[in-house]
């Protein structure tokens, strides 16, 4: 079978073709190299920009009150603060054994969001190894954040789960110390002094919290709340907008929300966590809710 | 400007945390610079005493007894051959006028927290830039090497 005749290529021509092919390769290589170089350069610029933003945010969080202080004063504060913390810690160690008992009897409303902060931190740490030196600043920030975030209960995974288990807050002596016990009452302005807990001698309940239905108001921001058994609790300014039921269980609080419930959420280990008292309470609660519903229905009919 | 005792406990805790964190990560405190001059040849009433050297931003950077080199913690300038009449700030300025610390020309305790944080930012950025320059140079070197190899394929 005949085939197309290929012309014989002269050696010199082949060399020329070879050379032009190599020129093409070199040109491509140069373009690619330049692109890579540009991309590492802009990555570096981004790193610098990130560091700048980080400091900018950091300064905003600190506030002008602190920023105006001289380093001499800041260091003085640090040593003051360190010694105060030490004293409080020692005090707590001595007081702990005699007075500490678990404070049951208060519930907290569950709010399931927890990812926004950690997500943000995650994206920050993914920005590259070169910025690792500013990571401690973030740690510092997140450490501060986590103090307030520690009051936000952790929810079980699953965006739609209407039953949310949360860890019971155990009053930690150290966190109490750093958050609320450290005060310098003598040096504080009068209006702050009036609000501080040690000035409140006794609490007279205006309602009986033990009645089956009591109407409660939301805490005001920063208001000191006291649990029924007397110890102060931190009021959360996160306000629950939906009707829900919080049930104390073995190691936390179960929050039942007004969304359709899936039977798969009710596993045996969860059921085991209910004690007899709680079950009795739930029965009564159910009756009360039924009664309430009936009242609504009657009103709708009339 | 509020006095220290008007700050809240939270603010004090914050301040305390900053000092700890920055000190641990950047090693920028005068106190550490002072400690670095263990066997410094000049005593405390001379112009380039340990304290004056540290205040002007210098760390001891030598590694033997007759090595009197010191490095600035901000600009990284290394100076040696110190004499007892040398003023550390003046020498710093003479050899590194663009140094941010020289331009502030105040010792640590007299800087405001904001100025100090700006200094930290500057140091971090400089560190990042130095790291990048090294990376960039190595990258360019590798490109050139590959290019040479490619070129040598010609026959
Ligand atoms: Zn310098």
């Amino acid at each position: 079978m005949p085939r197309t005749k290929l012309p014989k290529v002269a050696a010199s021509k082949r060399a020329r073709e070879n050379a032009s092919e190599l020129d093409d390769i070199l040109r491509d290589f140069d373009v690619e190299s330049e692109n890579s170089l540009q991309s590492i350069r802009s990555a570096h610029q981004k790193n610098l920009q990130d560091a700048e933003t980080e400091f900018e945010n950091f300064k905003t969080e600190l506030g002008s009150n602190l920023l105006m202080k001289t380093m001499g004063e800041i260091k003085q504060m640090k040593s003051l603060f360190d010694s105060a913390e030490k004293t409080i810690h020692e005090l707590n160690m001595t007081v702990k054994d005699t007075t500490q008992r678990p404070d049951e009897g208060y519930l907290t409303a569950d709010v399931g969001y927890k990812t926004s902060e950690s997500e943000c931190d995650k994206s920050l740490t993914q920005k590259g190894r070169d910025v690792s030196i500013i990571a401690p600043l973030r740690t510092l920030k997140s450490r501060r954040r986590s103090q307030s975030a520690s009051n936000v209960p952790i929810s079980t995974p699953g965006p739609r789960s209407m039953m949310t288990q949360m860890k019971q807050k155990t009053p930690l002596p150290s966190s109490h110390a750093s958050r609320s016990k450290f005060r310098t009452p003598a040096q504080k302005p009068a209006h702050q002094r009036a609000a501080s807990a040690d000035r409140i001698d006794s609490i007279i309940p205006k309602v009986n919290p033990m009645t089956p239905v009591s109407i409660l108001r939301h805490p005001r921001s920063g208001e000191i709340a006291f649990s029924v058994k007397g110890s102060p609790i931190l009021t959360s300014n996160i306000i629950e907008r939906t009707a829900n039921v919080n049930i104390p269980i073995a190691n936390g609080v179960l929050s039942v929300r007004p969304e359709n419930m899936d039977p798969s959420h009710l596993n045996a280990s969860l059921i085991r966590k209910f004690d007899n008292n709680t079950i009795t309470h739930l029965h009564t609660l159910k009756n009360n809710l039924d009664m309430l519903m009936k009242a609504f229905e009657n009103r709708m009919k009339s | 400007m509020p006095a220290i005792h008007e700050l809240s406990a939270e603010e004090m805790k914050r301040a305390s945390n900053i000092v700890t964190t920055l000190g641990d990560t950047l090693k920028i405190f005068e106190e550490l610079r002072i400690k670095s001059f263990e066997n410094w040849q000049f005593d405390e009433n001379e112009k380039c005493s340990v304290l004056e050297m540290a205040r002007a931003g210098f760390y001891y950077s030598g590694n033997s007894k007759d090595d009197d080199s010191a490095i600035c913690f901000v600009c990284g300038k290394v100076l040696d051959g110190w004499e007892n009449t040398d003023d550390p700030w003046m020498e710093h300025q003479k050899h590194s006028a663009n140094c941010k610390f020289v331009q502030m020309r105040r010792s640590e305790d007299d800087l405001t927290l904001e100025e100090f944080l700006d200094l930290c930012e500057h140091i971090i950025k400089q560190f990042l830039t130095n790291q990048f320059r090294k990376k960039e140079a190595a990258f360019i070197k590798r490109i050139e090497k590959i290019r040479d190899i490619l070129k040598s394929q010609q026959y």
Side-chain angles (χ1 to χ4, degrees), chain B residues 58-73:
Chain B
F58 290 104
Y59 260 107
Y60 178 67
S61 63
N63 42 28
S64 64
K65 252 206 142 144
D66 50 343
D67 185 353
D68 67 344
S69 62
I71 182 169
C72 167
F73 82 111

Side-chain angles (χ1 to χ4, degrees), chain A:
Chain A
M1 199 190 274
R3 51 181 189 180
T4 316
K5 188 180 179 258
L6 291 168
K8 270 202 175 134
V9 184
S12 63
K13 198 184 171 193
R14 188 185 293 151
R16 241 184 295 130
E17 275 179 359
N18 207 323
S20 84
E21 198 184 0
L22 189 65
D23 281 345
D24 287 348
I25 290 171
L26 282 176
R27 211 174 305 121
D28 284 352
F29 178 75
D30 288 344
V31 170
E32 284 304 315
S33 309
E34 190 53 36
N35 284 345
S36 310
L37 211 52
Q38 282 310 323
S39 84
I40 65 164
R41 278 175 187 147
S42 56
H44 172 61
Q45 285 308 318
K46 198 179 172 304
N47 274 346
L48 292 183
Q49 194 62 53
D50 287 347
E52 204 169 308
T53 313
E54 200 65 41
F55 268 93
E56 215 42 67
N57 295 341
F58 189 44
K59 283 194 279 188
T60 311
E61 277 184 47
L62 287 171
S64 55
N65 229 9
L66 272 180
L67 289 174
M68 274 153 50
K69 293 267 166 298
T70 66
M71 284 307 288
E73 288 173 301
I74 296 280
K75 283 192 237 169
Q76 208 182 322
M77 266 184 248
K78 180 182 159 49
S79 58
L80 249 171
F81 191 85
D82 287 352
S83 62
E85 244 187 358
K86 196 167 156 264
T87 317
I88 288 160
H89 181 72
E90 281 161 3
L91 262 171
N92 270 328
M93 295 312 271
T94 38
V95 175
K96 203 166 104 187
D97 300 330
T98 48
T99 60
Q100 231 196 8
R101 62 193 162 86
D103 186 73
E104 310 140 322
Y106 65 82
L107 302 173
T108 20
D110 167 47
V111 177
Y113 65 85
K114 52 153 190 174
T115 46
S116 58
E117 297 273 295
S118 53
E119 213 97 279
C120 154
D121 279 353
K122 214 195 298 160
S123 77
L124 283 169
T125 44
Q126 279 166 348
K127 269 174 193 159
R129 279 159 290 157
D130 282 351
V131 289
S132 62
I133 192 163
I134 50 177
L137 282 178
R138 289 181 195 123
T139 323
L140 174 64
K141 284 205 316 195
S142 55
R143 204 189 306 147
R144 250 186 296 115
R145 277 190 205 128
S146 68
Q147 285 173 359
S148 48
S150 66
N151 294 316
V152 179
I154 298 153
S155 69
T156 46
R160 278 292 189 109
S161 78
M162 78 274 112
M163 301 187 73
T164 332
Q165 226 175 318
M166 36 196 197
K167 270 216 150 97
Q168 184 113 25
K169 292 183 290 174
T170 36
L172 282 172
S174 61
S175 69
H176 263 272
S178 57
R179 204 179 302 126
S180 52
K181 278 196 186 167
F182 178 66
R183 288 183 295 267
T184 47
Q187 294 165 326
K188 274 198 164 179
H191 66 277
Q192 279 179 41
R193 217 164 35 223
S196 84
D198 51 3
R199 306 272 298 195
I200 301 166
D201 298 321
S202 60
I203 304 157
I204 305 144
K206 292 187 179 64
V207 291
N208 180 2
M210 295 313 180
T211 53
V213 183
S214 41
I215 298 168
L216 309 171
R217 65 170 176 80
H218 290 299
R220 294 185 194 101
S221 165
E223 189 172 27
I224 298 161
F226 287 81
S227 76
V228 193
K229 298 210 170 157
S231 64
I233 53 175
L234 215 74
T235 59
S236 159
N237 46 12
I238 299 152
I239 293 166
E240 193 74 343
R241 290 278 173 213
T242 54
N244 65 92
V245 177
N246 291 326
I247 306 158
I249 51 170
N251 61 344
V253 175
L254 189 78
S255 177
V256 185
R257 348 223 70 236
E259 286 159 49
N260 288 331
M261 202 190 242
D262 184 337
S264 69
H265 287 103
L266 298 170
N267 54 40
S269 73
L270 190 67
I271 300 305
R272 268 200 303 279
K273 286 175 180 159
F274 288 73
D275 61 20
N276 287 337
N277 273 344
T278 309
I279 292 166
T280 317
H281 292 154
L282 284 176
H283 267 297
T284 321
L285 190 62
K286 186 186 177 295
N287 288 341
N288 292 349
L289 286 174
D290 284 343
M291 230 142 63
L292 205 61
M293 286 315 294
K294 208 165 250 167
F296 288 144
E297 276 160 20
N298 287 340
R299 214 193 64 179
M300 296 292 274
K301 275 180 212 156
S302 61

Side-chain angles (χ1 to χ4, degrees), chain B residues 34-45:
Chain B
I34 292 172
K35 279 185 191 151
S36 73
F37 290 97
E38 254 181 318
N39 301 309
W40 193 235
Q41 51 187 317
F42 306 108
D43 63 47
E44 56 188 81
N45 39 40

Side-chain angles (χ1 to χ4, degrees), chain B residues 25-151:
Chain B
T25 50
L26 297 177
K27 309 239 177 285
I28 45 174
F29 283 110
E30 196 176 283
E31 195 188 324
L32 287 171
R33 292 199 293 279
I34 292 172
K35 279 185 191 151
S36 73
F37 290 97
E38 254 181 318
N39 301 309
W40 193 235
Q41 51 187 317
F42 306 108
D43 63 47
E44 56 188 81
N45 39 40
E46 274 169 313
K47 262 191 162 174
C48 56
S49 66
V50 169
L51 189 62
E52 291 308 314
M53 289 291 287
R55 279 200 174 149
F58 290 104
Y59 260 107
Y60 178 67
S61 63
N63 42 28
S64 64
K65 252 206 142 144
D66 50 343
D67 185 353
D68 67 344
S69 62
I71 182 169
C72 167
F73 82 111
V74 179
C75 67
K77 183 82 193 171
V78 182
L79 296 176
D80 64 359
W82 293 90
E83 286 161 26
N84 60 347
T85 50
D86 288 337
D87 176 345
W89 270 125
M90 292 253 288
E91 294 304 317
H92 199 165
Q93 178 150 39
K94 207 159 81 189
H95 291 95
S96 183
N98 288 327
C99 171
K100 201 173 162 80
F101 197 57
V102 165
Q103 282 162 4
M104 289 174 163
R105 207 168 169 162
R106 262 174 297 151
S107 61
E108 184 177 290
D109 283 359
D110 298 330
L111 296 174
T112 65
L113 178 58
E114 185 164 24
E115 287 170 319
F116 190 73
L117 287 175
D118 287 345
L119 207 57
C120 293
E121 184 182 335
H122 177 80
I123 294 170
I124 287 173
K125 281 180 167 180
Q126 202 157 267
F127 173 83
L128 291 176
T129 304
N130 289 342
Q131 296 280 94
F132 172 70
R133 291 270 170 264
K134 275 187 216 155
K135 192 169 138 189
E136 189 190 34
F139 191 74
I140 291 173
K141 211 170 156 187
R142 221 162 64 222
I143 290 174
E144 280 167 356
K145 204 169 176 183
I146 297 170
R147 203 178 192 284
D148 285 347
I149 293 168
L150 282 173
K151 231 177 160 179

